[in-house]
């Protein structure tokens, strides 16, 4: 089939500092506001090509390849997503789509890839639809739109479209905040956080025990939900202060509280899930002891899985890599880790 247009975007994953966990009624409306660092080295690269349609008719024509191989499971997921947004993207009706996607990080590393994958896809679609139309949006509006559609694919993906740091979810703390899309936050970031480091320690690369869709829905019956949502509001307000002033101690205390709360919520849900592994707990112990002994600002956060995200300023990288080699590598699955840092956001690949 003749290729009529194509675009390629690289979009990163992100790591939440204040976590999104639980939805309000509506489509992907978060129960509380969240904020995240955009990553640099963990990204998806997605090429969307528009082809002449094979058949006239209403069906969306899609072929999806992951790492060069046809992937039916992803293709079906994507078709469902496209069905839900087709009224906003006439190109989905007018062309056949060929999509190739890859991840920079191993697929089976236990690192959530939906944020990078869905943001790369949403930006590519917005880009192509804009090229086909005659209205060019401002960069700000373009990214709001990309964030909006990334959110419909995967909530946390809304936050992957901006450099350095991004906030999502309506809150009186942040002017211009929205449940519909994330907003950039880099203007409010102290210099020390602009080069912040994130070493991802792979405790286990096994498939997640529970999908985030199920995880979010368990919050509906969680007895601590109301308290949690109030805590998230308070933590957001406080961490924003720490991010502005460069208060590493306050920043670290909140990120660790958020990580532990996320896991505690899963443990006390019905049914209950334990998403940490014994190595996760051993690593947490060693990180806290190391911090106590050295007074270095090395803190951790967790996603909804067993892997540790170690967060620290660039100027202590040397000491931290010594500590990681001496005490943490042995607790990682086959010694695996990914060195990452706060990143520059999505990029169009020429
Ligand atoms: O975007 P989802 O639906 O996969 O949810 C992500 C939830 C967490 O990663 C655990 C927290 C967050 O805010 O990213």
């Amino acid at each position: 089939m003749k290729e009529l247009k194509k675009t390629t975007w690289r979009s990163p994953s992100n790591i939440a500092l204040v976590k999104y966990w639980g939805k309000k009624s509506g489509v992907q409306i978060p129960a509380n506001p969240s904020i995240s660092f955009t990553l640099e080295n963990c990204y998806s690269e997605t090429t969307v090509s528009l082809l002449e349609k094979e058949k006239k008719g209403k069906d969306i024509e899609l072929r999806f390849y992951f790492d060069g191989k046809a992937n039916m499971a992803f293709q079906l997921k994507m078709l469902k997503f496209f069905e839900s947004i087709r009224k906003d993207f006439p190109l989905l009706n007018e062309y056949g789509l060929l999509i190739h996607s890859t991840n920079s990080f191993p697929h089976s590393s236990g690192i959530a890839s939906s944020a990078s994958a869905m943001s790369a896809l949403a930006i590519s679609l917005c880009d192509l639809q804009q090229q086909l139309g005659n209205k060019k949006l401002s960069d700000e509006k373009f990214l709001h739109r990309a964030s909006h559609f990334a959110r419909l694919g995967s909530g946390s993906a809304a936050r992957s479209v901006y450099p350095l740091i991004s906030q999502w979810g309506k809150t009186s703390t942040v002017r211009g905040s929205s449940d519909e899309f994330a907003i950039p936050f880099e203007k409010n970031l102290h210099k020390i956080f602009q080069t912040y480091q994130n070493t991802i320690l792979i405790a286990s690369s096994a498939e997640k025990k529970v999908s985030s869709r199920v995880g979010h829905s368990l919050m509906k019956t969680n007895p601590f939900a109301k308290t949690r949502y109030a805590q998230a509001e308070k933590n957001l307000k406080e961490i924003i202060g720490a991010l502005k002033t460069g208060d590493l101690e306050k920043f670290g205390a909140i990120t660790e509280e958020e990580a532990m709360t996320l896991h505690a919520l899963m443990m006390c849900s019905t049914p209950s899930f334990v998403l940490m592994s014994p190595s996760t707990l051993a690593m947490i112990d060693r990180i806290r002891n190391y911090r106590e002994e050295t007074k270095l600002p090395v803190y951790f956060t967790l996603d909804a899985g067993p892997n540790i995200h170690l967060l620290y300023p660039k100027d202590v990288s040397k000491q931290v890599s010594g500590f990681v080699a001496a005490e943490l590598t042995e607790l990682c699955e086959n010694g695996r880790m990914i060195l990452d840092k706060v990143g520059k956001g999505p990029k169009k690949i020429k």
Side-chain angles (χ1 to χ4, degrees):
M1 276 294 118
K2 198 164 145 212
E3 185 181 271
L4 302 168
K5 244 184 202 323
K6 92 173 171 186
T7 193
T8 301
W9 281 83
R10 176 182 288 185
S11 188
S13 187
N14 68 71
I15 179 69
L17 306 168
V18 172
K19 313 285 179 185
Y20 148 56
W21 200 241
K23 300 182 196 193
K24 283 194 269 215
S25 57
V27 188
Q28 304 272 67
I29 301 297
N32 65 264
S34 58
I35 192 162
S36 57
F37 279 149
T38 303
L39 298 181
E40 177 73 8
N41 299 330
C42 291
Y43 58 81
S44 298
E45 204 169 285
T46 300
T47 300
V48 181
S49 307
L50 300 184
L51 313 175
E52 262 172 22
K53 249 186 140 173
E54 281 173 19
K55 291 187 202 135
K56 291 223 152 51
K58 282 207 290 217
D59 288 348
I60 294 179
E61 287 178 10
L62 167 67
R63 272 181 293 146
F64 179 78
Y65 292 81
F66 184 75
D67 279 344
K69 286 195 214 104
N71 187 313
M72 254 313 155
F74 282 167
Q75 178 163 316
L76 288 175
K77 250 189 186 170
M78 213 162 269
L79 258 181
K80 216 170 137 196
F81 173 54
F82 286 173
E83 289 291 350
S84 72
I85 60 169
R86 71 193 294 177
K87 65 174 193 320
D88 296 290
F89 289 92
L91 66 82
L92 294 173
N93 304 313
E94 292 160 7
Y95 300 92
L97 287 105
L98 172 65
I99 301 180
H100 278 274
S101 198
T102 55
N103 284 349
S104 65
F105 46 104
H107 180 48
S108 61
S109 61
I111 305 293
S113 54
S114 63
S116 54
M118 294 317 295
S119 57
L121 182 65
I123 299 177
S124 299
L125 288 183
C126 289
D127 178 15
L128 286 170
Q129 195 61 66
Q130 174 157 289
Q131 287 184 39
L132 292 166
N134 44 20
K135 201 169 121 210
K136 181 151 171 21
L137 295 175
S138 65
D139 287 353
E140 185 190 350
K141 289 224 169 86
F142 177 83
L143 290 175
H144 279 179
R145 184 170 153 83
S147 174
H148 170 95
F149 289 106
R151 175 195 119 236
L152 297 178
S154 168
S156 58
R159 297 186 311 243
S160 269
V161 307
Y162 302 108
L164 309 184
I165 185 161
S166 170
Q167 191 275 325
W168 171 45
K170 184 113 193 87
T171 165
S172 56
T173 304
V174 181
R175 209 184 318 138
S177 60
S178 169
D179 284 342
E180 305 284 327
F181 50 82
I183 57 171
F185 213 68
E186 63 176 309
K187 288 207 179 94
N188 305 295
L189 197 60
H190 187 275
K191 218 169 114 236
I192 196 154
F193 290 113
Q194 297 181 7
T195 55
Y196 231 59
Q197 305 292 299
N198 175 21
T199 298
I200 308 168
L201 303 156
I202 312 293
S204 164
S205 63
E207 279 260 320
K208 283 206 259 180
K209 282 188 206 162
V210 59
S211 68
S212 49
R213 189 177 54 81
V214 171
H216 289 295
S217 74
L218 289 175
M219 285 301 283
K220 292 213 153 53
T221 50
N222 190 298
F224 302 105
K226 213 168 145 205
T227 314
R228 158 60 192 159
Y229 300 143
Q231 177 201 39
E233 283 283 353
K234 178 170 169 284
N235 279 348
L236 182 83
K237 193 168 184 178
E238 290 185 6
I239 207 167
I240 283 175
L243 288 162
K244 258 191 195 148
T245 57
D247 184 340
L248 302 186
E249 214 172 299
K250 181 105 210 147
F251 163 84
I254 296 171
T255 49
E256 290 196 359
E257 182 178 289
E258 281 288 317
M260 296 310 247
T261 300
L262 172 69
H263 283 257
L265 288 166
M266 288 310 288
M267 286 186 218
C268 67
S269 289
T270 311
S272 146
F273 290 94
V274 179
L275 303 180
M276 294 190 205
S277 71
S279 334
T280 315
L281 290 170
M283 285 198 246
I284 289 176
D285 238 18
R286 292 185 188 184
I287 294 163
R288 288 181 165 170
N289 286 340
Y290 177 75
R291 192 166 67 228
E292 186 62 38
E293 280 160 22
T294 62
K295 308 289 177 228
L296 289 177
V298 183
Y299 294 88
F300 68 86
T301 188
L302 298 157
D303 241 326
N307 304 323
I308 298 259
H309 287 248
L310 207 55
L311 294 164
Y312 51 95
K314 192 164 181 229
D315 63 0
V316 300
S317 295
K318 240 201 175 123
Q319 293 100 302
V320 174
S321 70
F323 160 59
V324 168
E327 296 197 45
L328 301 180
T329 310
E330 65 190 22
L331 295 170
C332 294
E333 187 184 79
N334 304 319
R336 279 170 69 189
M337 65 187 73
I338 300 174
L339 297 180
D340 211 338
K341 60 185 177 188
V342 167
K344 293 185 281 295
K347 187 171 142 196
K348 186 165 172 158
I349 307 293
K350 290 273 166 6

